[in-house]
Amino acid sequence: MEAVLWQTLAGTRGGPNRARILRALDDRPRNANRLAEDLDLAYNTVRHHLDVLEDNDIVTSADKSYGAVYLPSERARQHWDSVEEIISQVEQ
């Protein structure tokens, strides 16, 4: 899982935005629209990053419909020390 986290959050151009999204979801679960507003990102950008995070089992939602609320996955929570380390490196 650690390699997936590094690749997804730090290994690509979109990693810093995915790190911001994950940090925001750790603070409070939200839907894509709220994330876009809170992080001052385009809705489509947030949707793309949520899809990448969900495909890699880093975030999850209970529902696949419009307005679904996202939160860090249980798998990401089990490796949260690594998540924090990666986010701190990305934010530098």
Side-chain angles (χ1 to χ4, degrees):
M1 177 67 173
E2 190 164 333
V4 170
L5 289 168
W6 275 102
Q7 178 63 30
T8 307
L9 300 176
T12 62
R13 189 175 62 185
N17 278 334
R18 286 192 280 276
R20 289 179 61 211
I21 289 169
L22 189 55
R23 176 148 338 262
L25 293 176
D26 179 46
D27 180 48
R28 180 172 44 96
R30 307 166 213 220
N31 65 25
N33 190 53
R34 176 61 59 198
L35 280 166
E37 290 176 8
D38 292 349
L39 299 176
D40 196 28
L41 294 170
Y43 175 81
N44 288 338
T45 299
V46 170
R47 284 288 338 135
H48 167 74
H49 291 307
L50 285 171
D51 288 344
V52 171
L53 290 166
E54 196 165 32
D55 288 348
N56 286 285
D57 195 25
I58 298 171
V59 301
T60 189
S61 68
D63 190 358
K64 300 295 181 196
S65 67
Y66 178 80
V69 174
Y70 292 85
L71 63 152
S73 70
E74 186 58 37
R75 189 172 175 208
R77 290 274 181 218
Q78 291 172 355
H79 298 276
W80 201 253
D81 288 342
S82 295
V83 169
E84 289 289 341
E85 177 186 348
I86 294 164
I87 290 175
S88 70
Q89 293 290 322
V90 169
E91 290 176 338
Q92 290 182 1

